[in-house]
Amino acid sequence: MMLDTATTRTAPSRTAPIFELIEVEKVFQVRPPGRRFTREKVGLRALDGVRLSVEKGASLALVGESGSGKSTLLRMVAGLDAPSGGRALYHGRPIREVRAEGPGFARDVAMVYQDARGSLDPRMTVGALIAEPLRHFGIVPKAQEETRVGELLERVGLPADAAKRYPSGLSGGQVRRVAIARALASEPSVLVADEAVSGLDVSTQAQLLTLLRKLQQEMGITLVFITHDLGVASYLCEQIAIMYLGRIVETGPTDAVLNAPAHPYAAALRGAAPRFFEPIPEPLPGEIPSPLDLPKGCRFSTRCPMAQDDCRTRDPQLGTLGAGRAVACLHPLAPSDT
Ligand SMILES: Nc1ncnc2c1ncn2[C@@H]1O[C@H](COP(=O)(O)OP(=O)(O)OP(=O)(O)O)[C@@H](O)[C@H]1O
Ligand code: SF4
Ligand SMILES: [Mg+2]
């Protein structure tokens, strides 16, 4: 894959965090498995004691197998869902409270959804879709809308005449570009993106990654980015958080974590993706336990090649490891183990 690697990723400044999640829980009420017609509901813990801090200008990749809670965490950061427990803060205040105060938060924190096509109204042209946030947030006077739409299309690598087309006439890659252009229209300082480049052909993916990295570096946009691809995480994001069954199990500088993972799950992901810019094959060895019936002790113990007796009784919490790293494991790997 050809990528613009001329510049290095921006290191986060050491300031107060933009986002802070403190022991965040998210419980969904769902029907018990195999009982579709019952009225009874049980609690599915999609996020379980998540602690995370994102500083201004940071770039953070969220990585983990399907169902690990990545989208749930992102939706919470974007203020779309409230935590069931704990605190989710934006500049020190509850995200939901700030979001309810007016359009300021939604303008500042833009989201690219996992289902980009589903997030766009099929009855609207691309031009109208991109003009909508311009108008809603009063970004430019009406007379300048068309020019600004054209600029945004150009920025994401779409021709000006794409403005007249409808989402149904666009390829998957073009739809993602429209979703990114729409997110950028409000001139946000934070972009949260759920698999914004997955499933695209290699050259489209490279173009969008180069664009996102430029935005991060030249405009200082804070980026929280879900990906299944460790190469994408490494190219785009200074920090990485690896999730497993609703928890962050390892976090730290991306290259340090990927070069010498301390958590056996992080090591398994790394081992499963020996070549960068190829998505992690799913599933990894061993069955993922049901979030409705988590194993006792460490939730990774049923799949962990390093598990010891205490792993089946003690639930490891995220603890600092030094050099900005943290791991939730009773027996973390030493750099020489990986
Ligand atoms: N609205 C919902 N109602 C009930 N359960 C939900 C809801 N949203 C997510 N879940 C459950 O919460 C858990 C985490 O889901 P989430 O979508 O956050 O995972 P993910 O890491 O984004 O997965 P993927 O990689 O497949 O997108 C899963 O068990 C999922 O089934
Ligand atoms: S606590 Fe034990 S089971 Fe869990 S990841 Fe660490 S070594 Fe493996
Ligand atoms: Mg998801």
Side-chain angles (χ1 to χ4, degrees):
M1 177 183 291
M2 290 299 291
L3 289 168
D4 167 15
T5 50
T7 43
T8 52
R9 289 173 314 215
T10 313
S13 58
R14 299 284 154 235
T15 51
I18 289 195
F19 294 105
E20 201 169 6
L21 306 190
I22 304 167
E23 299 301 331
V24 158
E25 314 265 329
K26 181 68 190 177
V27 179
F28 292 110
Q29 294 302 319
V30 297
R31 293 198 172 81
R35 297 177 55 196
R36 270 199 303 153
F37 300 107
T38 177
R39 283 202 184 159
E40 184 199 337
K41 295 268 177 88
V42 291
L44 184 154
R45 202 168 288 274
L47 295 178
D48 186 4
V50 168
R51 266 185 280 151
L52 180 68
S53 172
V54 182
E55 289 174 4
K56 186 169 171 12
S59 47
L60 171 75
L62 297 175
V63 175
E65 282 167 293
S66 187
S68 55
K70 304 179 297 294
S71 296
T72 306
L73 196 159
L74 208 71
R75 288 178 61 80
M76 196 162 289
V77 163
L80 301 173
D81 281 333
S84 319
R87 282 154 61 79
L89 307 175
Y90 177 68
H91 290 298
R93 298 183 49 219
I95 295 174
R96 295 282 285 178
E97 198 178 292
V98 180
R99 193 169 185 273
E101 277 171 4
F105 178 86
R107 179 184 168 173
D108 209 34
V109 180
M111 174 136 178
V112 180
Y113 292 86
Q114 186 164 9
D115 176 12
R117 196 179 288 280
S119 72
L120 303 176
D121 186 338
R123 295 162 304 182
M124 290 169 75
T125 61
V126 166
L129 283 163
I130 298 174
E132 191 178 51
L134 292 178
R135 204 168 309 154
H136 181 71
F137 296 114
I139 305 293
V140 288
K142 188 147 180 28
Q144 290 172 25
E145 252 176 32
E146 202 178 321
T147 312
R148 181 58 64 89
V149 168
E151 286 165 6
L152 285 159
L153 286 171
E154 192 184 342
R155 186 184 278 179
V156 297
L158 285 172
D161 64 5
K164 297 193 197 73
R165 296 167 66 185
Y166 287 87
S168 57
L170 303 180
S171 68
Q174 289 168 328
V175 163
R176 298 281 177 88
R177 288 170 198 254
V178 173
I180 294 174
R182 195 171 138 89
L184 296 178
S186 69
E187 300 175 352
S189 67
V190 181
L191 191 66
V192 295
D194 199 341
E195 315 233 16
V197 299
S198 63
L200 300 178
D201 66 78
V202 169
S203 73
T204 307
Q205 199 179 87
Q207 281 171 18
L208 287 180
L209 285 175
T210 303
L211 165 76
L212 289 166
R213 190 151 115 153
K214 262 200 183 132
L215 285 170
Q216 219 260 319
Q217 290 171 341
E218 290 170 11
M219 296 165 66
I221 280 189
T222 306
L223 193 63
V224 185
F225 197 86
I226 292 180
T227 178
H228 278 94
D229 187 322
L230 300 181
V232 169
S234 166
Y235 175 75
L236 204 57
C237 297
E238 185 77 17
Q239 308 283 318
I240 194 167
I242 295 184
M243 297 192 67
Y244 186 69
L245 280 173
R247 285 252 175 100
I248 291 174
V249 294
E250 180 159 7
T251 183
T254 310
D255 293 340
V257 170
L258 295 182
N259 287 335
H263 195 285
Y265 179 63
L269 287 180
R270 184 69 188 88
R275 280 195 298 271
F276 273 8
F277 297 110
E278 282 181 16
I280 299 158
E282 291 203 36
L284 294 177
E287 204 177 319
I288 307 181
S290 161
L292 293 170
D293 185 20
L294 289 173
K296 290 212 165 45
C298 173
R299 60 197 60 203
F300 189 53
S301 59
T302 53
R303 301 170 84 192
C304 180
M306 315 298 291
Q308 300 182 29
D309 287 349
D310 57 348
C311 301
R312 296 183 183 89
T313 52
R314 289 174 58 202
D315 187 6
Q317 304 298 311
L318 199 61
T320 52
L321 202 64
R325 295 182 61 171
V327 65
C329 174
L330 301 173
H331 309 286
L333 301 166
S336 54
D337 297 331
T338 53

